[in-house]
Amino acid sequence: MGGFEITSCPLRNQVDPRALRFAAGATALVLAVVLLTVGAARPLALGLLASQVAVFGFTAFVSVQWSVWAQLFARVVWPRIGAATQLVDARSARFAQLLGFVLTAAALVGFVLGADGAASALIVVVVAAAAVDAATGRCAGCAIYRLARRRRSHAG
């Protein structure tokens, strides 16, 4: 059968780190557009922001591998660069996506309520973290996750 079928990913707990960097770059780009257009084209900006909130939510609560950015990477980029030589634990990436979800959802609420300064500040934080991750592979949310796990394991 030559159709497309969604099945459970056998590597659900692992992910290609290049896909994470790709997703971070795409996220930074989308949110930069939000910041640049919120004053001139508010409905467009808030629509883009809401879509990124949804992407963060899906990735945090459902799957890193089935997110829109991971699927774009898998279908367009990965065939050109080949398989990863190593995979990384997806739990820290999902935690980072949860942080992105919380911050961008709060920003969306802020924009809707007219607190544009606070909302923009939240978006700047997420854009900066995503840009650093995309450029260097250093994920701030992942580092927070690892630190919290280390502290929890030492406390218990």
Side-chain angles (χ1 to χ4, degrees):
M1 292 192 108
F4 176 75
E5 181 179 325
I6 295 178
T7 60
S8 177
C9 179
L11 300 175
R12 190 178 194 301
N13 293 326
Q14 298 179 321
V15 65
D16 184 336
R18 301 168 306 170
L20 297 176
R21 289 180 74 173
F22 176 83
T27 297
L29 179 64
V30 167
L31 293 176
V33 170
V34 168
L35 286 173
L36 293 172
T37 60
V38 74
R42 193 173 189 88
L44 170 67
L46 296 186
L48 282 174
L49 179 55
S51 70
Q52 186 59 52
V53 170
V55 168
F56 276 139
F58 181 87
T59 306
F61 297 112
V62 178
S63 171
V64 172
Q65 291 84 358
W66 288 104
S67 74
V68 66
W69 300 132
Q71 288 300 300
L72 187 60
F73 176 84
R75 297 173 197 292
V76 177
V77 179
W78 187 81
R80 289 168 174 76
I81 63 174
T85 57
Q86 68 176 4
L87 299 174
V88 296
D89 187 352
R91 290 176 295 183
S92 61
R94 289 182 73 177
F95 179 78
Q97 295 294 302
L98 176 63
L99 293 178
F101 172 76
V102 169
L103 293 174
T104 55
L108 182 59
V109 170
F111 280 127
V112 168
L113 295 177
D116 288 16
S120 293
L122 290 171
I123 299 298
V124 167
V125 168
V126 179
V127 168
V132 167
D133 187 5
T136 67
R138 303 271 184 199
C139 170
C142 300
I144 292 168
Y145 174 83
R146 288 189 297 272
L147 179 64
R149 285 200 43 120
R150 203 172 312 128
R151 285 188 177 204
R152 193 169 75 172
S153 69
H154 284 89

